[in-house]
Amino acid sequence: MTARTAREEILGDIKRALHREGKSGPVRGEAVASAASQHEYLVSEIRKNCEQRRGELIEQFESELTRIGGRFHAAATVEAAFQYIEQVASVREARTIVAWEGPIIDGIDVPRRLGEKGIQFVTETTGPEFIRRTAEADVGVSGVDYALADTGTLVLLARKGQARSISLLPPVHIAVMRPEQVLSGLSDLFPLLRGEAKAEGRDLSSAITFITGPSRTADIELTLVVGVHGPQQLHVVLLDD
């Protein structure tokens, strides 16, 4: 697939997703409350469909992720998730790890347990040198907001304590996610994002990161190189405890 074709396909997916959501919007003279209820119904149907197809979607996500060079690990317990993260850090001989601040990372207790092994942990609260230290880190550990099964893509929204640089600058990125975060594709994603933004009283964030496999760069001769402008390795841990 050429760069132009890939770009057109992605833009086409976004257009179809927005068109699907637009069907739930108000027609001329229709009450706003009715439009809101239609959007709620759409979101409910998306969640119901994803729940019914959960196993299928996870298998599809794993297949697509590994096809594009990512690595997938299913962890049935918090301990299994930690052991995998510890193994990746050990193989990398990591001395510094930068991580999201949030329930899924805190629940695994990664900072304390790896800290006991002499690995330094960096978070966004570290201070003004955060970006420099993130760029120097050996591994970045994050959660995700959603995962798209049809392309093996991770979707991350930037928030306080969850900077985009954590998933972009270190040479190894480990993302931890839950089964319920797996969606079929973009057509499911945008209605959910808009619903969440409305519920929180904010605009839809422009700081959305889509990660599809390790970083890839091609030169003018189309020679593909991995990890030049982003992580060389992408590990996804599915925590289903």
Side-chain angles (χ1 to χ4, degrees):
M1 180 180 293
T2 66
R4 177 179 174 82
T5 303
R7 179 177 181 274
E8 290 173 347
E9 182 175 336
I10 292 171
L11 292 175
D13 286 343
I14 293 174
K15 183 178 179 180
R16 285 188 291 273
L18 294 175
H19 176 69
R20 174 184 178 185
E21 183 182 0
K23 291 180 179 179
S24 68
V27 297
R28 185 171 299 176
E30 184 177 15
V32 174
S34 176
S37 65
Q38 288 185 39
H39 185 272
E40 290 173 2
Y41 175 76
L42 174 60
V43 168
S44 174
E45 287 299 300
I46 289 172
R47 293 194 182 280
K48 184 187 301 183
N49 178 63
C50 289
E51 179 60 33
Q52 292 172 347
R53 300 176 56 209
R54 184 71 64 216
E56 172 194 343
L57 293 177
I58 290 173
E59 288 182 5
Q60 183 183 14
F61 174 82
E62 178 182 1
S63 175
E64 291 299 318
L65 176 73
T66 54
R67 184 181 65 82
I68 55 180
R71 307 180 190 189
F72 182 87
H73 178 76
T77 64
V78 167
E79 182 61 28
F82 171 77
Q83 288 178 359
Y84 184 81
I85 294 171
E86 180 184 33
Q87 178 185 3
V88 173
S90 176
V91 169
R92 190 70 189 182
E93 298 182 346
R95 296 183 178 181
T96 304
I97 292 179
V98 60
W100 268 22
E101 298 171 69
I104 195 165
I105 305 301
D106 294 343
I108 302 174
D109 202 14
V110 177
R112 181 188 65 81
R113 297 183 67 179
L114 286 186
E116 292 174 350
K117 298 179 180 296
I119 297 176
Q120 184 178 12
F121 251 81
V122 177
T123 65
E124 198 171 348
T125 57
T126 303
E129 294 189 347
F130 170 72
I131 293 296
R132 179 184 63 79
R133 299 185 70 181
T134 298
E136 294 173 352
D138 301 295
V139 177
V141 181
S142 77
V144 309
D145 287 275
Y146 292 105
L148 308 182
D150 60 352
T151 55
T153 298
L154 302 177
V155 182
L156 284 66
L157 275 66
R159 301 182 180 89
K160 185 176 181 180
Q162 300 176 0
R164 285 184 290 181
S165 55
I166 293 172
S167 65
L168 299 175
L169 295 182
V172 176
H173 175 207
I174 304 173
V176 186
M177 70 179 191
R178 295 282 189 180
E180 59 269 21
Q181 293 175 304
V182 182
L183 308 177
S184 62
L186 282 172
S187 60
D188 288 349
L189 175 66
F190 283 102
L192 295 183
L193 291 180
R194 291 191 182 278
E196 291 173 359
K198 183 177 181 181
E200 296 173 10
R202 57 175 174 80
D203 293 331
L204 182 62
S205 175
S206 61
I208 303 175
T209 301
F210 293 86
I211 299 173
T212 306
S215 170
R216 286 173 166 78
T217 302
D219 61 18
I220 195 170
E221 296 180 350
L222 300 182
T223 301
L224 187 65
V225 181
V226 176
V228 175
H229 299 295
Q232 301 164 1
Q233 294 180 15
L234 172 62
H235 299 258
V236 176
V237 179
L238 178 72
L239 178 55
D240 187 10
D241 62 343

